[in-house]
Amino acid sequence: MEWSDSWRGAFRIELRAEAVNLAWHGWPVLPGTYPAGDRWAGRDGVEDTGPVPVHDDWQERIGTKAEQVATWWAGHSYSILLATGHGVDAVEVSADLGRRAAVELRAAGVPVPIVATPEGRWMFLVASGGTPVTDEGVKHHGQGEYVPLPPSPGQVGVVHWRVKPQICAWQLPHVDVVREALLQAADRTSDYGLVTADRS
């Protein structure tokens, strides 16, 4: 998808406001590259894949205060990246498993921030610490990694919230809560109206 300069200019304010809001709540956000045709721009030259941090020393910038974060997005439409392993981790699964796990969490009355990517991946945001989830088909993003947050643009759409962090008052669950929901979702015979994957 081609992101025009006019669209990028209109979108820049929203990206900056969301980055500042996340940083104000203590989430370690960083500027990332953004789509430019079939490549990714924002660093010196262009990248073949993305989004990736704009700054080479991004790990040294983790924990920057909201006031400084605001300057990073001034005049730029950078993606918003969350540096995981610093208070917030992300448990990434397929959209199908993610939907079913979200049903389990909702039934248990446990709100968890959930991010969905245009590529069909869901990420459950949890507190850092605990034993990482290593089940098949699950990717646990922790120390030294990063994930995109809404409303970051992608090649085929925009990263968006399935459950916003405000719903859980910015309180993140222990990773075991999401692990249990994923296990229950994978074991369910009911498909909640969705196509059940062949587990043979």
Side-chain angles (χ1 to χ4, degrees), residues 38-179:
D38 61 352
R39 308 286 292 281
W40 292 79
R43 299 177 59 145
D44 292 336
V46 292
E47 306 286 326
D48 290 326
T49 59
V52 298
V54 168
H55 303 110
D56 290 332
D57 62 344
W58 65 270
Q59 296 197 58
E60 298 173 20
R61 296 171 183 256
I62 293 170
T64 300
K65 296 189 180 300
E67 295 80 6
Q68 180 62 38
V69 166
T71 67
W72 290 342
W73 271 267
H76 299 285
S77 300
Y78 293 134
S79 301
I80 301 174
L81 301 181
L82 171 72
T84 53
H86 300 271
V88 188
D89 281 6
V91 180
E92 179 182 342
V93 298
S94 67
D96 178 56
L97 180 57
R99 286 187 191 96
R100 288 182 280 133
V103 169
E104 297 291 339
L105 290 165
R106 188 164 50 247
V110 182
V112 176
I114 305 172
V115 173
T117 72
E119 295 78 22
R121 304 293 292 174
W122 282 33
M123 291 178 285
F124 294 77
L125 303 184
V126 299
S128 295
T131 305
V133 182
T134 57
D135 301 329
E136 184 178 354
V138 178
K139 167 65 175 170
H140 189 119
H141 298 272
Q143 190 82 30
E145 298 178 278
Y146 47 83
V147 296
L149 291 183
S152 296
Q155 293 285 7
V156 295
V158 177
V159 178
H160 64 280
W161 292 108
R162 299 298 300 192
V163 178
K164 294 184 177 182
Q166 294 91 324
I167 299 298
C168 55
W170 296 87
Q171 300 300 307
L172 298 172
H174 191 278
V175 66
D176 287 347
V177 172
V178 170
R179 177 186 285 109

